[in-house]
């Protein structure tokens, strides 16, 4: 489970999820690191290496000048006391550091830990910033500015290898600035999902307490402002923004109005110093305002230093409590947007009625501890509210007219009214902004992949805990398969369960879901609208769904929103949002519906992609061999692994050839998708046809090259620009000679596993890829002793943007160095150890263990062009056949040999050779030095000849001609039961 705001951990062959120890060692040795390390951790390692840090020698600096009673310390002490009580008796250590990484506070679940830990883990004052301590929780949380987990070997320092930690920045809710870091450290075996929830809530508690504090620096800045006014004849004159409109760029005016709106939304009285882009500084002062009708609000005035003396702006040293004006309903944590204001209003609490016309007091912002003002340059509300009078219901002051409180035009300009508004309207702006932040997060987090399940998980991860505590998503089986559901209620299946806890009795993923007729889920699917249940205990339909598990669940959840996943008019499933404490409101329902709508579009895109990929994959598999042909030359195993993202055009083939030989073919069409799969089918069919014509490998590649070029020229969209391309490797193995003839066209070289375990890559000329045209292909012949293995593969096995090809070839060499393995075991070992965990390209793998023909089953003769020798060879052949026990086949073989030898003597050229091969069939071969091949024809009744080949065709299973560099071979195969 991945919590909202945390970086997901990748899984696969490259990592076990508990810390990439082997990959860390590779990194420290300077070797390339694959995808098994999270991006944030790998970036931190690289920063540590660039800083010259060594994992075995760390001297953490100690600072004696840290403030043991600073703002964050005062805010964190009671929160840490509660955490210590929560983890009492455990091996959890709790620490708080400042924004520079200096540890200020320490707490321990078991106080006895202080006796066994070194000083740097016990004594406050040590600095854990990344630049001095390497990759650790505190330093990485400051660097990444988000919640961070560091686990085991992810630490850069060797001393921390047995530990894990979760750390989260603590921000000033007013300024958004990071004030420090809260960190929970623990042994690796103590990792719990609840730790992420606990640290979030604790950090929020510290941030709430920070709201009630002001620093001595802030008070000093206010005194400086007061002293500047008092030094100017004891008076400080205000000025209206429009009165100096010619001196302010519209951008500057927007900045001042935005800061003024922030003060109004905060419902607090104070002063902030705004620094404009040109370096000028303008002080904004807020004060309460009461209209003649009793509506109370906040007036914001601008004060520019250096103006002629005017009406004094008196500011007492005591702060005034404006709690009656505070919009208390606005939550201080951004973990969940509060979109519903409470029923109480501002006029429910008393507050002084002060108008802009009088010289009302202006002082601190009413902090809980009553200390000082807001820091200059920071917004009291801690949010950015759009500027202008129309935003937040605020009134921007103009150069004319009367100011609030009934002052004259001249007096209004003197007092410098910038904006006037009601605080509760600013509360709506805060909630709206948090809503927009969640929707903005959804736009970046949902739909990052084209996987239906993963997209549903992203919806749940985005909504927890920003909107809900738990989310379940149910999708029909048809959607998971990539099809459009005919009835979304017919086959709903629980797909995702995600929440802040894992022990609730939700139906687990993978189980069928049957909703009762009165449940909110069924109602939302029927109405295609979101259904809100503020109190589940009062929802009769919900209770009736499944009484026993529902009753257990109701002990943990309070409110529910069921939303249909509707995209392009099709219902794809239902998403259900649960909240443990408090009830959902109408605004929450609108937000949930918007999130579900965005997710539904992404799920539908993923569904359509899944459907298309399924069709392409089905086409691809239909175009690949469905079984291995019967032959004795090689023992073959093969694998085809499609890419995760899309299906390509890889193929392989095993082709029986004449003379007990076998052809091994592997190819790869450039690109992915339906076009590549279709092109692959055409090339595989053509390659098989060329091979069965007994062309040598280099000629087969030449014919394929011409075909690819012609396909490219005929493509109406290709325009002859080389859109279609492919690579290919073709090998022909002869078990009688134990030799293999190979040629390749831009394809990776094969691997040859010798019987003694030696693995080599034959020096085979690469040749150009298919489709370039005009360049020759070279064939190379190599010896293959019996028991050797020939391994052919496509580039998806060895080429990956995260891995070095040479290193992968060495991995392949190590995986193949086991000649005792069967081809099936070799395929499995190669895919397990060499193939990437998440392949970006198709992988085709073909492993062939070669066999040799027993010399005792080969009979050869060489004769001159003398017709008298035909009978002698025929008689000798009958004796061999009798010795092999093929007496029943002897008659047909004798006639075939007689016809073939006679044709060679009459029409061929010396030398003439005859060979019999006894294997799965009986093969009769006659070769001569002539390139003239006979042709089968139907002889007329008056013809004296022309019936010999017809007789051969009738007596044999198959026959044909194979050309040699000098001459040809006429061959025929007889079944062993031929009579």
């Amino acid at each position: 489970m991945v919590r909202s705001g945390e970086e997901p951990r990748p899984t696969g062959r490259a990592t076990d999820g508990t810390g990439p120890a082997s990959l860390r060692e590779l990194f420290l040795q300077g070797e390339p690191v694959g995808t098994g390390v999270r991006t944030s951790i790998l970036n931190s390692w690289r920063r540590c290496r660039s800083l010259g840090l060594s994992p075995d020698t760390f001297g953490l600096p100690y600072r004696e000048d840290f403030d043991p009673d600073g703002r964050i310390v005062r805010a964190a002490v009671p929160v840490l006391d509660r955490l210590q009580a929560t983890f009492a008796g455990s091996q959890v250590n709790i620490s708080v550091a400042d924004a520079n990484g200096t540890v200020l506070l320490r707490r321990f679940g078991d106080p006895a830990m202080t006796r066994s830990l070194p000083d740097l883990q016990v004594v406050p004052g040590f600095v854990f910033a990344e630049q001095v301590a390497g990759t650790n929780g505190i330093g990485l949380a400051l660097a990444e500015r988000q919640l961070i987990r560091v686990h085991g070997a992810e630490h850069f320092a060797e001393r921390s290898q047995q530990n894990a930690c979760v750390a989260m920045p603590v921000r000033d809710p007013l300024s958004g600035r990071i004030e420090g870091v809260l960190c929970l450290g623990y042994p690796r075996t103590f990792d719990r999902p609840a730790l992420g929830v606990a640290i979030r809530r604790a950090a929020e508690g510290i941030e709430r307490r920070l709201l009630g504090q002001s620093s001595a620096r802030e008070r000093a800045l206010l005194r400086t402002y007061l002293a500047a006014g008092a030094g100017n004849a004891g008076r400080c004159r205000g000025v209206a923004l429009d009165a100096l409109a010619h001196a302010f760029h519209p951008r500057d005016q927007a900045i001042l109005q935005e800061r003024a709106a922030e003060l109004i939304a905060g419902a607090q009285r104070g002063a902030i110093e705004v620094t404009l882009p040109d370096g000028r500084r303008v002080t904004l002062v807020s004060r309460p305002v009461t209209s003649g009708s009793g509506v109370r609000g906040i007036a914001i005035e601008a004060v520019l230093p250096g103006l002629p003396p005017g009406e004094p702006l008196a500011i007492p040293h005591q702060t005034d409590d404006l709690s009656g004006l505070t919009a208390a309903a606005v939550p201080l944590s951004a973990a969940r947007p509060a979109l519903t204001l409470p029923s109480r209003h501002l006029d429910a609490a008393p507050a002084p009625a002060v108008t802009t016309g009088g010289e009302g007091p202006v002082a601190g912002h009413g902090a809980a501890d009553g200390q000082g003002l807001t820091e200059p340059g920071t917004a009291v509300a801690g949010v950015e509210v759009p500027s202008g009078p129309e935003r937040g219901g605020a009134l921007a002051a103009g150069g004319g007219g009367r100011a609030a409180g009934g002052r004259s035009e001249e007096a209004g300009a003197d007092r410098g009214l910038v904006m006037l508004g009601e605080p509760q309207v600013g509360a709506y702006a805060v909630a709206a902004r948090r809503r927009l932040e969640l929707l903005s997060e959804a736009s970046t987090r949902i739909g990052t992949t084209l996987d239906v399940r993963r997209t549903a998980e992203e919806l749940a991860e985005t909504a927890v805990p920003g909107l809900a505590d738990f989310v379940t998503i149910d999708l029909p089986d048809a959607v998971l398969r990539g099809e459009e559901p005919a009835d979304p209620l017919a086959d709903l299946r629980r797909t995702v369960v995600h929440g802040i806890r894992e022990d609730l009795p939700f139906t687990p993923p993978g189980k069928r879901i049957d909703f009762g007729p009165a449940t909110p889920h069924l109602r939302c699917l029927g109405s295609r609208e979101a259904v809100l249940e503020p109190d589940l205990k009062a929802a009769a339909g919900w209770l009736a769904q499944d009484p026993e598990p529902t009753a257990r669940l109701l002990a943990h959840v309070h409110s529910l929103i069921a939303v249909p996943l509707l995209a392009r008019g099709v219902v794809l499933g239902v998403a259900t949002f649960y909240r443990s404490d408090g009830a959902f409101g109408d605004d929450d329902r609108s937000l949930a519906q918007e999130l579900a709508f965005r997710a539904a579009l992404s799920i539908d895109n993923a569904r359509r992609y899944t459907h298309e990929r399924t069709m392409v994959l089905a086409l691809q598999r239909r175009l690949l061999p469905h079984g291995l042909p019967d032959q004795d030359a090689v023992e073959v195993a093969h694998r085809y692994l499609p890419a995760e993202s899309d299906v390509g055009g890889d193929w392989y083939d095993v082709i029986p050839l004449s003379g007990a030989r076998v052809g091994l073919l592997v190819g790869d069409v450039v690109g992915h998708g339906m076009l590549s799969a279709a092109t692959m089918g055409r090339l595989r069919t053509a390659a098989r046809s060329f091979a069965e014509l007994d062309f040598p490998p280099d000629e087969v590649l030449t014919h394929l090259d011409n075909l690819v070029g012609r396909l490219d020229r005929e493509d109406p969209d290709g325009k002859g620009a080389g859109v279609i391309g492919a690579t290919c490797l073709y090998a022909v193995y002869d078990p009688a000679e134990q030799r293999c003839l190979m040629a390749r066209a831009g394809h990776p070289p094969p691997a040859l596993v010798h019987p003694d375990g030696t693995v080599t890559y034959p020096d085979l000329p690469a040749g150009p890829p298919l489709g370039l045209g005009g360049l020759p292909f070279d064939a190379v012949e190599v010896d293959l002793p019996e028991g050797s293995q020939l391994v052919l593969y496509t580039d998806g096995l060895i080429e990956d943007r995260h891995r070095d090809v040479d290193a992968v070839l060495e991995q392949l060499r190590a995986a193949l160095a086991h000649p005792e393995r069967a081809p099936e075991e070799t395929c499995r070992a190669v895919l397990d150890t060499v193939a990437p965990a998440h392949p970006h390209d198709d992988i085709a793998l073909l492993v062939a263990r070669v066999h040799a023909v027993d010399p005792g089953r080969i009979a050869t003769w060489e004769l001159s062009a003398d017709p008298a020798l035909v009978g002698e060879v025929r008689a000798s052949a009958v004796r061999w056949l009798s010795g092999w026990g093929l007496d029943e086949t002897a008659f047909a073989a004798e006639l075939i040999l007689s016809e073939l030898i006679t044709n060679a003597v009459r029409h061929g050229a010396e030398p003439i050779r005859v060979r019999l091969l006894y294997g799965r069939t009986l093969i009769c071969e006659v070769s001569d030095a002539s390139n003239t091949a006979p042709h089968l024809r139907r002889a007329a009744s008056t013809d004296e000849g022309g019936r010999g080949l017809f007789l051969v065709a009738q007596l044999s299973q198959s026959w044909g001609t194979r050309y040699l560099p000098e001459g040809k071979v006429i061959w025929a195969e007889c079944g062993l039961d031929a009579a």
Side-chain angles (χ1 to χ4, degrees):
M1 179 179 296
V2 180
R3 308 298 181 193
S4 176
E6 297 181 33
E7 184 179 359
R9 296 183 185 180
T11 59
R13 298 186 180 91
T15 178
D16 59 3
T18 61
S22 60
L23 296 177
R24 176 181 177 274
E25 296 304 318
L26 285 176
F27 173 82
L28 295 176
Q29 296 170 10
E31 299 292 334
V33 179
T35 59
V37 181
R38 290 183 286 148
T39 302
S40 59
I41 298 296
L42 183 58
N43 290 340
S44 178
W45 287 356
R46 290 168 176 166
R47 291 193 296 266
C48 295
R49 175 63 62 84
S50 66
L51 292 170
L53 300 180
S54 176
D56 55 347
T57 56
F58 273 109
L60 297 188
Y62 178 79
R63 297 187 59 178
E64 297 182 352
D65 59 344
F66 69 92
D67 187 0
D69 193 36
R71 293 183 66 223
I72 192 168
V73 173
R74 297 198 306 273
V77 165
V79 178
L80 263 62
D81 291 341
R82 291 194 296 270
L83 280 176
Q84 186 176 22
T86 300
F87 295 106
S90 69
Q91 296 297 304
V92 176
N93 64 84
I94 310 160
S95 59
V96 171
D98 62 16
N100 298 316
T102 303
V103 175
L104 307 176
L105 289 174
R106 290 281 192 184
R107 292 286 192 277
F108 300 92
D110 183 2
M113 294 174 61
T114 58
R115 297 192 295 268
S116 60
L117 295 176
D119 287 347
L120 61 86
Q121 295 185 17
V122 177
V123 179
F126 284 95
V127 181
F128 282 82
E130 184 186 69
Q131 56 266 32
V132 295
T135 307
N136 68 91
I138 294 175
L140 193 53
L142 289 173
E144 297 288 333
R145 305 179 66 84
Q146 63 178 345
L147 188 146
I148 285 294
R149 291 181 185 267
V150 183
H151 211 284
E154 292 179 336
H155 287 89
F156 196 72
E158 291 182 356
R159 63 165 181 269
S160 303
Q161 299 295 295
Q162 301 303 316
N163 302 324
C165 64
V166 56
M168 184 172 184
V170 177
R171 288 177 167 83
D172 186 334
L174 303 181
S175 65
R177 183 182 59 221
I178 293 179
E179 293 287 335
V181 175
L182 175 63
C183 182
L184 303 180
Y186 45 88
R188 288 190 306 179
T189 56
F190 189 78
D191 198 7
R192 303 288 190 278
L195 292 174
V197 178
I199 197 170
R200 287 182 184 277
R201 293 179 176 174
E204 292 167 5
I206 297 175
E207 291 174 350
R208 283 194 294 269
R209 294 184 58 82
L210 283 173
L211 280 175
Q213 298 183 10
S214 296
S215 66
R217 180 168 65 90
E218 292 167 340
R219 295 196 299 271
L221 289 171
L222 176 61
R223 294 192 184 99
T224 301
Y225 165 71
L226 297 175
N232 191 4
R235 307 170 70 86
C236 187
R237 178 172 180 151
V239 59
L241 181 62
D242 286 357
L244 292 179
H246 65 280
F248 286 93
H249 190 276
R251 173 197 57 200
D252 300 334
Q253 298 180 41
I255 292 174
L256 293 174
Q257 291 179 0
E258 180 179 358
R259 291 305 182 93
E262 292 171 357
L263 287 174
I264 293 174
Q268 295 170 342
R269 189 165 60 180
I272 63 171
E273 191 175 67
V274 182
T275 301
L276 300 176
D278 59 4
R280 287 185 296 174
R281 296 181 178 181
V282 178
T283 301
L284 297 181
V285 179
S286 67
R287 63 176 67 222
V289 179
T290 302
S291 69
S293 60
V295 177
R296 289 177 293 170
I298 298 293
I300 309 298
E301 296 173 337
V303 178
L304 292 177
L307 292 178
E311 186 176 0
L313 188 63
I315 301 180
H317 294 287
Q318 299 296 326
T319 62
D320 291 337
D321 186 4
L322 298 180
S323 58
L325 286 175
T326 304
V330 181
L332 303 178
S333 167
R336 175 183 295 151
L339 303 180
T340 304
L341 293 177
S343 58
R344 61 181 181 272
H345 299 283
L346 295 177
D347 54 5
V354 183
T355 66
T356 58
E359 294 183 7
V362 177
H365 65 337
D369 58 0
Q371 297 181 16
L373 273 179
T374 308
E375 177 187 357
T378 63
V380 176
V383 296
E384 296 177 6
V385 181
S387 61
E390 71 284 357
R391 300 174 189 170
L395 173 65
R402 301 184 64 85
R407 289 183 55 98
S408 65
E409 179 176 349
E410 295 83 4
D414 290 343
R415 303 310 302 151
L417 182 62
V418 176
M419 189 173 288
L420 184 65
E422 296 180 71
Q424 69 267 32
V425 180
Y428 281 108
V430 172
R433 175 176 177 177
R434 289 174 180 169
R435 174 191 176 100
L436 291 174
E437 287 175 347
L438 188 59
L439 291 176
S440 176
E441 181 184 3
S443 65
T444 59
R445 293 189 61 181
I446 300 176
T448 60
T449 68
L450 288 172
D451 181 83
V452 173
R453 283 186 174 85
R454 179 57 194 152
T455 304
E457 291 171 357
E458 290 169 344
L459 167 60
E461 292 166 0
T462 302
V464 176
L467 174 63
D469 296 322
F470 303 95
V471 175
T472 63
I473 298 176
D474 307 311
L475 302 176
D477 286 334
V479 172
L480 297 175
R481 295 192 302 265
E483 303 170 6
E484 185 172 306
D487 182 4
L489 296 177
D491 56 353
L492 271 179
R493 191 172 297 277
R494 178 60 46 87
T495 305
V496 175
V497 177
H498 184 76
I500 60 176
R501 294 167 52 192
E502 297 181 349
D503 57 347
L504 296 191
F506 287 107
T507 302
K511 297 291 185 179
R512 286 289 303 272
I513 299 293
D514 294 317
F515 293 118
T519 57
H521 312 82
L522 194 64
R523 285 155 48 200
C524 85
L525 289 174
S527 64
R528 298 194 172 191
E529 296 288 341
V531 173
L532 167 64
E533 289 287 357
D535 186 358
L536 282 176
K537 294 181 179 179
W542 166 260
L543 290 173
Q545 175 183 341
D546 199 347
E548 184 176 349
T550 301
R552 294 198 306 267
L553 186 60
L554 286 178
H556 304 281
V557 297
H558 176 74
S559 188
L560 169 151
I561 300 175
V563 187
L565 296 172
L566 185 64
R568 301 179 178 95
V570 179
V571 177
L572 303 175
V574 58
T576 310
F577 303 85
Y578 299 88
R579 187 173 286 180
S580 298
D581 301 319
F584 285 114
D586 290 332
D587 290 329
D588 297 316
R589 176 172 55 186
S590 299
L591 178 57
Q593 194 158 1
E594 179 65 24
L595 289 175
F597 173 72
R598 297 190 180 198
L601 288 176
S602 297
I603 290 175
D604 192 49
N605 290 337
R607 179 194 66 81
R608 291 166 178 256
Y609 167 77
T610 301
H611 180 65
E612 180 179 348
R613 185 176 187 272
T614 301
M615 290 193 302
V616 176
L617 186 58
L619 173 63
Q620 170 84 327
R621 293 194 181 279
R622 291 293 300 173
L623 294 174
L624 290 174
H626 293 283
L628 299 179
D630 294 333
Q631 45 81 38
D632 296 323
V634 293
E635 177 187 355
V636 179
H638 55 84
R639 292 290 189 277
Y640 170 73
L641 186 64
E644 283 192 348
S645 58
D646 205 351
V647 179
D650 292 16
W651 87 91
Y652 59 88
D653 209 346
V654 178
I655 309 169
L657 302 175
S658 63
R661 298 171 307 135
V662 64
L664 304 174
L665 187 67
V666 170
D668 183 4
V669 175
V670 175
H672 296 84
M674 187 72 73
L675 175 62
S676 296
T679 303
M680 177 274 292
R682 300 176 72 176
L683 290 184
R684 175 179 173 257
T685 302
R688 189 178 187 91
S689 300
F690 295 143
E692 289 178 345
L693 290 174
D694 273 323
F695 291 141
D698 52 335
E699 291 190 24
V700 169
L701 295 183
T702 299
H703 289 297
L704 287 177
D705 181 56
N706 295 333
L707 173 62
V708 172
R710 185 166 62 254
L711 292 176
D712 189 26
R713 290 189 298 270
E714 294 174 354
D715 182 10
D717 299 324
K719 299 179 181 179
V723 175
I724 299 176
T727 64
C728 186
L729 170 63
Y730 181 42
V732 176
Y733 172 65
D734 187 345
E737 302 290 338
Q738 298 184 41
R739 298 183 67 80
C740 183
L741 186 64
M742 298 180 286
R744 61 179 177 137
H747 202 82
L752 177 58
V753 183
H754 297 271
D756 60 357
T758 304
V759 180
T760 61
Y761 297 99
D763 187 13
L764 183 62
L770 300 177
L772 294 183
L775 297 175
F777 299 95
D778 297 323
V780 172
E781 193 172 38
V782 297
D783 293 324
L784 288 185
E786 184 173 11
S788 301
Q789 288 190 4
L790 189 63
V791 181
L792 286 68
Y793 51 88
T794 56
D795 57 2
L797 178 68
I798 62 172
E799 292 184 6
D800 186 84
R801 59 176 175 265
H802 302 293
R803 303 189 299 171
D804 181 71
V805 173
D806 293 334
V808 177
L809 288 176
E810 289 302 316
Q811 292 179 2
L812 179 60
R813 188 192 302 272
L816 295 176
H818 299 276
E820 73 283 358
R821 287 176 178 164
E824 281 288 340
E825 297 176 353
T826 301
C827 284
R828 190 180 307 113
V830 169
L831 291 184
D832 289 342
T833 60
V834 181
H838 305 283
H840 298 283
D841 194 7
D842 290 18
I843 297 175
L845 177 64
L846 189 65
V847 178
R849 171 176 286 169
V850 302
H851 300 294
V853 177
D854 184 356
R857 292 193 171 197
I858 304 176
T860 59
W861 297 269
E862 185 169 344
L863 63 154
S864 60
D866 184 358
L869 299 177
V870 175
E872 297 179 7
V873 174
R874 186 172 58 210
S876 178
V878 171
R879 290 192 295 270
W880 274 92
L881 294 175
S882 178
W884 291 337
L886 302 179
D887 295 324
E888 294 183 0
T889 312
F891 176 74
E894 183 180 4
L895 289 179
I896 291 173
L897 284 176
S898 178
E899 291 297 332
L900 295 182
I901 297 174
T902 301
N903 280 342
V905 169
R906 295 181 60 183
H907 306 291
E910 296 182 357
I912 300 173
R913 295 183 177 89
V914 180
R915 185 172 71 166
L916 291 179
L917 292 175
Y918 172 31
R920 191 177 297 269
T921 60
L922 178 65
I923 302 173
C924 307
E925 294 182 346
V926 176
S927 64
D928 65 83
S930 171
N931 289 326
T932 302
H935 297 281
L936 180 65
R937 65 184 180 88
R938 184 178 297 275
S941 58
T942 57
D943 290 342
E944 295 183 0
R947 298 174 179 83
L949 284 181
F950 181 80
L951 182 63
V952 170
Q954 295 299 313
L955 293 174
S956 63
Q957 292 180 346
S958 60
W959 74 280
T961 303
R962 179 172 74 249
Y963 288 94
L964 303 174
E966 294 182 0
K968 64 181 182 299
V969 176
I970 310 297
W971 57 270
E973 288 190 16
C974 293
L976 299 184
D977 57 349

